[in-house]
Amino acid sequence: CLPGLSSFPWKRESRTSMTIQPAVYVLASKRNGTLYVGVTSNLRKRVWEHKNELVEGFTKRYGVHHLIYYEIYDDMMSAITREKQIKKWNRAWKLDLIEKQNPDWKDLWEGIV
């Protein structure tokens, strides 16, 4: 069990009953700040891990914790393909993608928990 999961903000599910919902997501440190593009099979769990700094690496080091964009997919291969596509984009294209869906750069975390 990962440290801190006892305070996980929703009902715990066994690994076998966990619903897989592939998603591509973008986190930011602040408006127009540092961006991170990721892919996951459980968006709520993954963003919660980022927010609670349970994920070592880039997001923890640079304080990238605000969920500002996400897309839900039916299968992991589609999500992974889209993540790779977005990661190759220049910053201006990523900002345009974010601002079309979330012009105020609101943290979308509250809407997914």
Side-chain angles (χ1 to χ4, degrees), residues 4 8-9 15 20-22 31-32 38 51 53-54 57 62 64 79-80 89 96-97 104-105:
F8 212 54
R15 191 174 209 46
I20 293 176
Q21 183 61 74
R31 184 182 186 107
N32 294 313
K51 285 186 167 292
E53 297 190 337
L54 298 176
Y62 294 102
V64 182
I80 291 167
W89 288 3
D96 188 52
L97 178 72
D104 297 325
W105 288 61

Side-chain angles (χ1 to χ4, degrees), residues 19 24 37 40 45-46 61 68 76 80 110-113:
T19 302
V24 174
V37 179
T40 184
K45 178 182 177 204
R46 190 63 171 154
R61 185 174 30 237
I68 55 166
M76 278 305 291
I80 291 167
E110 293 298 324
I112 66 167
V113 292

Side-chain angles (χ1 to χ4, degrees), residues 71-82:
E71 299 174 358
I72 302 296
Y73 287 87
D74 291 329
D75 62 273
M76 278 305 291
M77 283 308 301
S78 297
I80 291 167
T81 299
R82 178 65 166 161

Side-chain angles (χ1 to χ4, degrees), residues 26-77:
V26 180
L27 302 177
S29 58
K30 60 182 180 180
R31 184 182 186 107
N32 294 313
T34 304
L35 300 177
Y36 173 83
V37 179
V39 65
T40 184
S41 62
N42 187 327
L43 185 61
R44 287 184 293 174
K45 178 182 177 204
R46 190 63 171 154
V47 174
W48 185 85
E49 290 170 346
H50 284 295
K51 285 186 167 292
N52 289 279
E53 297 190 337
L54 298 176
V55 180
E56 290 297 327
F58 186 86
T59 60
K60 184 175 180 179
R61 185 174 30 237
Y62 294 102
V64 182
H65 303 125
H66 302 288
L67 177 65
I68 55 166
Y69 181 85
Y70 65 92
E71 299 174 358
I72 302 296
Y73 287 87
D74 291 329
D75 62 273
M76 278 305 291
M77 283 308 301

Side-chain angles (χ1 to χ4, degrees), residues 76-111:
M76 278 305 291
M77 283 308 301
S78 297
I80 291 167
T81 299
R82 178 65 166 161
E83 178 210 23
K84 289 179 179 183
Q85 178 187 45
I86 294 171
K87 281 187 171 190
K88 290 179 183 178
W89 288 3
N90 65 48
R91 182 175 175 85
W93 294 354
K94 292 174 190 172
L95 295 178
D96 188 52
L97 178 72
I98 294 161
E99 292 184 353
K100 281 182 180 174
Q101 295 296 317
N102 188 2
D104 297 325
W105 288 61
K106 291 181 186 174
D107 190 342
L108 304 173
W109 167 248
E110 293 298 324

